[in-house]
Amino acid sequence: MTLPDTLPKCLVTGYQKYGDGHTALRKKDRGIWRSYSWEDSHKQVQNLTLGLIHLGLQRGDKVCIVGDNDPQYIWAQIAVQAGGGVAVGVFTDSTPPEIQFIVEHSDATFVFAKDQEQCDKLLEIKSQIPKVRGVIYWDDKGLWGYDDPWLISFDRVQELGQEQQAREPDRFDSEIALGKGTDVAIYCYTSGTMGVPKGAMISHANLLAGSDLAVAVDPRSEHHDYLSFLPPAWITENVLGLAIHLRTGMIVNFPEAPETVQENIREVAPYWLLFSARLWESMVALVQVKMTESTWINRLLYRWFMPVGYKVATLRYEQRTRIGLHWRILHALGEIAVFQPLRDKLGLTRVLSAYSSGAALNPDVVRFFRAIGVNIKQLYGSTEAQTHTLHIGDDVRFESVGVPPPGMEIRIAEDGEILVHGPSVFIGYYKLPEQTEHAIEIDENGKRWFRTGDAGYVSDDGHLIYLDRMKDMIALASGEKYSPQYIEGRLKFSPYIRDVMTIGGAEKGFVTALINIDFNSVGRWAERRGLSYTTFVDLSQKKEVYALIRQDVAGVNATLPPAARVRRFVLLHKEFDPDEAELTRTRKLKRGILSDRYQDMIAAMYGDEDEVRVRAAVKYRDGREGIIETTVRVETLVEEDLPK
Amino acid sequence: MNPKDTQLSVRNVNLSFGGTQALVNLGFDVRQGEILAIIGPNGAGKTSLLNCLNRFYKVESGSIQFEGYDLTKIAPHRIAGLGIARTFQNIALYTGLSTLDNLMAARHIHMHSGLLQSLIYWGFAHREDISHRMVVEEIIDFLEMEHIRRSIVGSLPYGLRKRVELGRALAMEPRLLLLDEPMTGMNLEEKEDMARFILDLHERQKTTILLIEHDMGLVMDIADRVVVLDFGVKIAEGSPQEIREDQQVIKAYLGEAR
């Protein structure tokens, strides 16, 4: 038997397989989790599809959906597709002009709008979107008094569908049978940091391929629970939620409200999670805050067992060695006392794979979750090609974004751009043939490669290293490019380095760095070695400290292509300080001011000197100004410094 | 009862504290299903009036008729049972209990199981608890409080506590809702939310709402009629439009026109 090739066909197959006997979707409503069976889903979609057809939906029509994660969202989307239409997700926080843009650009004929808030936005732009024949809402709260016939309730559409069903009992099945895998299923409008949003056309085949790739890496079945909380207009939720649900029967749970997600995660304890790096970081912060407010016994257990967790995690994941018996016993105790309860609070008790996407995750955050028994993996992808790479199994590295899942291919173009090929690469941008042509490269074998616009390289063991957006890369005199953000980010992973600014650019032959040591951790390191020091200036210029930092720089260099390696660095005699306008309040570097203030050192690094005299004006906290006069050493790294 | 029928009628009410006359011969009607706002400068007697309505204060003379009952002759603890609920200017909730428990507590006037039945918590008492919980859950949904259902009220920010208090008043399923400055101390977004809830409530449940509020803009937006007090005396009554143009009101409340 061949697998169904469209999402609506998957729904019918699931309905035939599970009928009324298995939960398909769950939604928390009025404080209670309510289940919907496959039969419920099938019935809802059937009535909606026929209702839409009754209202005039034609094959090939586009229908926008703007709403939160609800079963109704999924039903609406499958119903549109069953009727041969394309579903266009719109983010709920869009402003009326943003909605207007997408509705106009996609030529939508109907809009599903969840509630009063969204309906109000549409009413505001009603006169500008004459092609829209009706707006269908599924939460009637506050809409009782509206009498615009343009607004139609979800229930009303379903009634119309039932009437249609009585007239044409075979219509629903015949419409579904007309669908093909190559049909466009959804338009995903990319947020577009510059210029207007682009509508990426994604076919049923793309979505189902994305689902199959994900399931090949992390198997899922109808016994697994998933919590749908990523924006449903986003490609990720379409693939990892909807497509996998329809493909494997995985149960999709919907949170009660956007604000209750954290609580609902705990109740559902999903098997699979994807958070942004930021969210993982905020979870760690939350645990730390809650811990300080907890009872003394909890705090004591936390203080005892967290170091055990860290130790065992380091042995297991970083040193990859056998774990001694006494560590295993301690770890088992910690599991009962701290790790399991913590995972429970965070809703991570059943998680099989936890992913982070977006920015690179701080290793401290990764270490924290490893210590409590959750190995967070990186996932790198795009709207246009879905998952490019991810960490598979236990093969997790801080510096990489993983490897392509089986079936996907990664290639680095000559200019360093990451190209992706595979069954999930999209069809193109709607109504933008030029941009589509630019985004897709067809090689001599006829393979379609998506140009990601990201720079990266593949390490010797096949892991992809993501550097930066192509446009943020900086060229050296030789024309070779490097990413300042990436190098600085990696260097800051060292516990001994607090801030770094790399220097390079078209006039320079190589990369150098101004480094701020972390006074606390370097200070503690020095104390453990019996190394005496007086002030920050003194500590920063110790020979031993230079050797320590040199090791870390060499370690990072080893992961970088030769042109991007840091050849010389200085350890600054003082910390970068927001009060002196060297950093923003959020601790971002002010590069212009820094290059100007430390020009002597920069000149020294690109000259022959091994040290440089500095006289720097400093402002003390009490407002006084003083002058620090000292000698700062310049350290040079050579190829032999690379660890073998 | 038909809309536009008088639900509450205040006649010749006088109240004084020592030598200060808080309310002077005050009289007005509240019609079934309307939103009536009472406005006036600080110390105009607005809160005193609410306190008379639910018998926190005893009026010296005059009558207050609510659906055929004379409230001045009814014991304070029976007022809620008649279908009058209120919120307070300085929130009065059980701060140590959760939102859910605060709302459930307000259901007591509708509860019928005895002590013994409740102790055994089986059969009738159990079923009754479930039916009350359903009412409370509807209110939680209506006021969008799902995320704070289990939160201890004392730990909630001010704007949310105001919402819980409104929820508790609604849990009594009142026919007349007295709101004492429901929007003070809120930011614009919270005020707009609260205004939306009040309007939805008015539209959906047809609950009569008597509202005291400082924020003139909001009052003018949501009220059907406005009564203006100044030093315990009613100086105007009418639609928001009429009030906006009333010279005496402008003088007393909005300041002397220059």
Side-chain angles (χ1 to χ4, degrees):
Chain A
M1 195 186 92
T2 54
L3 286 169
D5 59 353
T6 67
L7 300 183
K9 287 181 195 171
C10 289
L11 174 75
V12 174
T13 310
Y15 161 60
Q16 287 160 352
K17 183 171 171 191
Y18 304 111
D20 201 24
H22 194 82
T23 299
L25 310 170
R26 240 186 245 121
K27 164 85 183 173
K28 194 168 186 186
D29 185 31
R30 310 288 193 274
I32 295 171
W33 285 100
R34 283 162 215 268
S35 294
Y36 298 94
S37 69
W38 282 84
E39 189 177 318
D40 296 333
S41 268
H42 183 263
K43 185 116 207 98
Q44 293 272 352
V45 171
Q46 176 173 319
N47 289 339
L48 271 181
T49 306
L50 296 173
L52 285 169
I53 288 172
H54 179 91
L55 290 169
L57 180 85
Q58 303 282 322
R59 293 195 76 80
D61 274 3
K62 287 83 184 176
V63 177
C64 288
I65 312 177
V66 44
D68 296 311
N69 308 56
D70 284 315
Q72 288 85 348
Y73 190 108
I74 281 196
W75 294 328
Q77 174 160 345
I78 308 173
V80 168
Q81 291 162 344
V86 178
V88 184
V90 181
F91 288 91
T92 49
D93 56 0
S94 305
T95 59
E98 286 166 349
I99 295 181
Q100 185 188 336
F101 176 85
I102 293 179
V103 169
E104 274 182 341
H105 186 267
S106 65
D107 308 311
T109 51
F110 289 94
V111 177
F112 280 88
K114 177 181 177 171
D115 50 14
Q116 185 186 20
E117 183 187 349
Q118 307 300 347
C119 286
D120 282 347
K121 292 184 197 170
L122 283 152
L123 287 170
E124 194 179 323
I125 54 170
K126 184 181 174 187
S127 58
Q128 280 101 13
I129 46 173
K131 282 186 198 160
V132 174
R133 296 184 189 176
V135 170
I136 301 153
Y137 59 88
W138 65 84
D139 181 352
D140 64 353
K141 197 170 98 184
L143 289 166
W144 311 295
Y146 289 45
D147 52 7
D148 192 326
W150 201 49
L151 300 180
I152 314 163
S153 77
F154 208 75
D155 296 342
R156 178 67 194 141
V157 177
Q158 295 200 318
E159 279 167 27
L160 294 171
Q162 268 170 348
E163 291 165 18
Q164 186 78 15
Q165 165 77 4
R167 285 191 296 271
E168 292 185 276
D170 300 327
R171 181 73 186 267
F172 181 62
D173 291 330
S174 64
E175 287 291 339
I176 288 182
L178 286 174
K180 296 189 299 293
T182 48
D183 291 348
V184 178
I186 53 171
Y187 290 168
C188 270
Y189 277 82
T190 55
S191 37
T193 43
M194 10 193 266
V196 292
K198 293 177 287 191
M201 298 185 282
I202 320 272
S203 68
H204 288 275
N206 287 151
L207 289 174
L208 292 171
S211 155
D212 294 344
L213 291 170
V215 173
V217 174
D218 296 305
R220 269 156 280 200
S221 74
E222 67 271 23
H223 304 296
H224 286 148
D225 278 291
Y226 172 84
L227 186 74
S228 166
F229 60 88
L230 301 168
W234 199 22
I235 182 71
T236 318
E237 188 60 45
N238 274 283
V239 181
L240 303 172
L242 179 61
I244 294 183
H245 161 66
L246 291 172
R247 195 63 145 185
T248 69
M250 174 183 77
I251 302 166
V252 178
N253 298 275
F254 295 93
E256 187 164 25
E259 299 82 27
T260 62
V261 167
Q262 195 62 50
E263 192 186 317
N264 295 153
I265 284 179
R266 192 181 169 199
E267 291 167 349
V268 172
Y271 288 84
W272 196 95
L273 270 176
L274 175 88
F275 285 156
S276 66
R278 244 191 117 87
L279 201 56
W280 285 114
E281 278 161 23
S282 73
M283 275 170 95
V284 177
L286 184 76
V287 169
Q288 282 160 350
V289 169
K290 292 267 177 193
M291 231 40 238
T292 60
E293 292 167 357
S294 188
T295 58
W296 68 270
I297 181 105
N298 281 346
R299 286 201 304 273
L300 191 72
L301 290 171
Y302 184 78
R303 220 171 46 232
W304 276 352
F305 285 109
M306 279 312 280
V308 176
Y310 276 108
K311 176 74 185 174
V312 170
T314 310
L315 291 173
R316 178 177 300 153
Y317 296 112
E318 289 180 50
Q319 300 175 358
R320 293 170 197 269
T321 53
R322 245 181 59 80
I323 298 154
L325 182 65
H326 96 280
W327 282 116
R328 268 190 271 169
I329 293 170
L330 277 175
H331 193 261
L333 287 174
E335 176 70 19
I336 299 165
V338 178
F339 312 140
Q340 209 282 334
L342 264 182
R343 289 204 304 275
D344 175 43
K345 291 269 183 219
L346 297 170
L348 300 170
T349 41
R350 300 198 294 193
V351 74
L352 299 173
S353 286
Y355 289 95
S356 165
S357 75
L361 201 53
N362 182 338
D364 289 341
V365 173
V366 178
R367 287 195 185 100
F368 173 87
F369 282 102
R370 283 176 173 179
I372 65 166
V374 178
N375 195 9
I376 300 180
K377 304 164 183 185
Q378 284 285 338
L379 186 148
Y380 161 56
S382 65
T383 297
E384 290 86 350
Q386 303 174 24
T387 307
H388 303 167
T389 60
L390 42 64
H391 287 139
I392 298 179
D394 268 348
D395 192 11
V396 180
R397 326 265 169 97
F398 294 147
E399 72 280 3
S400 93
V401 290
V403 295
M408 294 297 282
E409 286 176 62
I410 291 287
R411 183 160 69 87
I412 306 299
E414 266 173 28
D415 59 354
E417 183 170 5
I418 302 168
L419 305 184
V420 190
H421 165 75
S424 57
V425 172
F426 75 137
I427 299 173
Y429 298 112
Y430 186 53
K431 292 203 276 201
L432 294 170
E434 273 172 40
Q435 314 226 23
T436 303
E437 201 172 321
H438 178 79
I440 291 188
E441 181 186 301
I442 298 175
D443 69 7
E444 58 275 15
N445 303 323
K447 280 185 178 174
R448 297 170 78 244
W449 294 86
F450 169 61
R451 277 187 235 261
T452 58
D454 298 326
Y457 62 93
V458 177
S459 68
D460 298 338
D461 50 8
H463 275 247
L464 179 70
I465 316 291
Y466 171 92
L467 291 173
D468 215 332
R469 295 293 295 165
M470 283 295 279
K471 61 180 170 54
D472 293 330
M473 299 289 285
I474 292 183
L476 290 165
S478 60
E480 289 173 288
K481 287 184 175 170
Y482 76 100
S483 158
Q485 303 271 5
Y486 177 80
I487 301 175
E488 286 158 11
R490 291 296 144 187
L491 285 170
K492 277 199 281 186
F493 283 178
S494 158
Y496 303 117
I497 296 177
R498 181 157 165 82
D499 275 308
V500 195
M501 183 173 89
T502 53
I503 297 119
E507 303 92 60
K508 308 283 199 277
F510 51 89
V511 180
T512 59
L514 298 173
I515 296 178
N516 261 184
I517 58 167
D518 187 300
F519 189 53
N520 286 330
S521 56
V522 174
R524 260 193 314 253
W525 174 86
E527 280 161 28
R528 279 203 304 275
R529 265 154 200 75
L531 199 65
S532 62
Y533 62 93
T534 52
T535 58
F536 186 92
V537 181
D538 182 37
L539 181 66
S540 69
Q541 298 308 313
K542 292 265 183 230
K543 211 165 65 245
E544 294 84 352
V545 173
Y546 263 87
L548 172 77
I549 300 294
R550 186 192 176 106
Q551 250 177 27
D552 282 339
V553 176
V556 171
N557 274 349
T559 69
L560 294 171
R565 287 174 189 157
V566 176
R567 297 301 154 103
R568 302 190 88 190
F569 69 87
V570 297
L571 297 184
L572 284 181
H573 54 288
K574 61 173 280 293
E575 288 185 307
F576 291 151
D577 194 343
D579 288 341
E580 294 176 45
E582 297 181 329
L583 298 173
T584 65
R585 290 287 155 195
T586 51
R587 296 200 71 82
K588 288 204 188 88
L589 302 174
K590 291 191 175 169
R591 291 176 191 272
I593 291 174
L594 288 168
S595 328
D596 192 45
R597 186 163 293 170
Y598 297 103
Q599 53 181 319
D600 291 353
M601 283 184 212
I602 294 169
M605 286 196 290
Y606 287 100
D608 294 330
E609 293 112 286
D610 287 330
E611 55 179 47
V612 56
R613 294 284 302 164
V614 285
R615 267 173 64 87
V618 287
K619 201 182 274 171
Y620 296 105
R621 295 215 171 205
D622 59 3
R624 286 181 300 128
E625 292 192 20
I627 301 278
I628 294 183
E629 199 163 334
T630 183
T631 305
V632 170
R633 304 193 316 121
V634 180
E635 189 78 4
T636 309
L637 285 105
V638 286
E639 289 305 314
E640 289 81 72
D641 282 319
L642 292 177
K644 294 290 171 309
Chain B
M1 200 179 270
N2 294 319
K4 305 295 170 205
D5 282 357
T6 299
Q7 188 178 24
L8 178 82
S9 123
V10 176
R11 288 283 171 274
N12 302 322
V13 164
N14 284 287
L15 176 76
S16 60
F17 303 109
T20 317
Q21 275 272 308
L23 300 173
V24 188
N25 272 335
L26 187 63
F28 63 91
D29 287 340
V30 183
R31 296 171 199 157
Q32 175 71 35
E34 74 172 344
I35 300 181
L36 177 78
I38 297 184
I39 64 171
N42 269 332
K46 304 184 299 286
T47 302
S48 298
L49 171 66
L50 281 203
N51 285 341
C52 290
L53 290 182
N54 66 350
R55 294 277 280 118
F56 275 22
Y57 295 160
K58 191 167 162 37
V59 299
E60 284 157 14
S61 64
S63 78
I64 304 174
Q65 294 281 335
F66 174 73
E67 297 183 353
Y69 295 92
D70 188 348
L71 295 187
T72 58
K73 299 199 167 63
I74 283 175
H77 68 267
R78 285 193 50 214
I79 300 280
L82 291 179
I84 301 179
R86 83 173 276 191
T87 67
F88 293 83
Q89 197 173 341
N90 353 301
I91 307 177
L93 289 164
Y94 302 115
T95 48
L97 295 184
S98 68
T99 301
L100 184 62
D101 290 339
N102 266 285
L103 265 55
M104 286 298 277
R107 294 293 301 167
H108 81 275
I109 55 163
H110 296 290
M111 288 188 187
H112 305 290
S113 4
L115 179 64
L116 193 62
Q117 279 171 314
S118 301
L119 281 174
I120 299 166
Y121 195 66
W122 186 73
F124 177 70
H126 192 201
R127 280 196 305 275
E128 191 184 25
D129 202 40
I130 290 173
S131 73
H132 288 303
R133 176 70 189 272
M134 277 164 68
V135 175
V136 166
E137 283 295 338
E138 287 298 328
I139 292 164
I140 289 176
D141 176 67
F142 180 76
L143 295 178
E144 293 162 18
M145 301 193 295
E146 293 92 349
H147 60 299
I148 53 164
R149 184 189 284 127
R150 303 270 175 200
S151 308
I152 299 299
V153 165
S155 70
L156 293 175
Y158 185 79
L160 282 176
R161 266 189 267 176
K162 281 261 183 195
R163 213 189 286 183
V164 176
E165 205 192 18
L166 175 60
R168 188 186 56 181
L170 293 183
M172 295 186 209
E173 296 181 86
R175 289 189 301 282
L176 172 64
L177 185 61
L178 312 175
L179 302 177
D180 195 353
E181 305 210 355
M183 296 170 206
T184 29
M186 287 190 172
N187 63 33
L188 184 65
E189 200 188 332
E190 288 169 332
K191 279 184 186 174
E192 284 174 351
D193 278 345
M194 190 54 100
R196 186 162 53 85
F197 292 139
I198 293 172
L199 286 172
D200 281 352
L201 191 66
H202 172 62
E203 198 174 289
R204 184 66 165 174
Q205 326 251 12
K206 312 286 180 231
T207 311
T208 314
I209 296 168
L210 198 155
L211 168 81
I212 291 180
E213 188 48 61
H214 257 320
D215 190 322
M216 284 290 275
L218 264 161
V219 166
M220 295 304 184
D221 276 352
I222 66 176
D224 296 320
R225 287 192 312 128
V226 181
V227 167
V228 188
L229 297 188
D230 193 20
F231 293 106
V233 180
K234 180 174 87 177
I235 58 169
E237 180 176 349
S239 72
Q241 191 54 38
E242 288 161 7
I243 295 298
R244 218 176 266 137
E245 287 157 8
D246 189 301
Q247 285 308 315
Q248 230 185 328
V249 175
I250 295 171
K251 200 172 140 202
Y253 193 83
L254 304 174
E256 203 84 49
R258 277 170 230 281

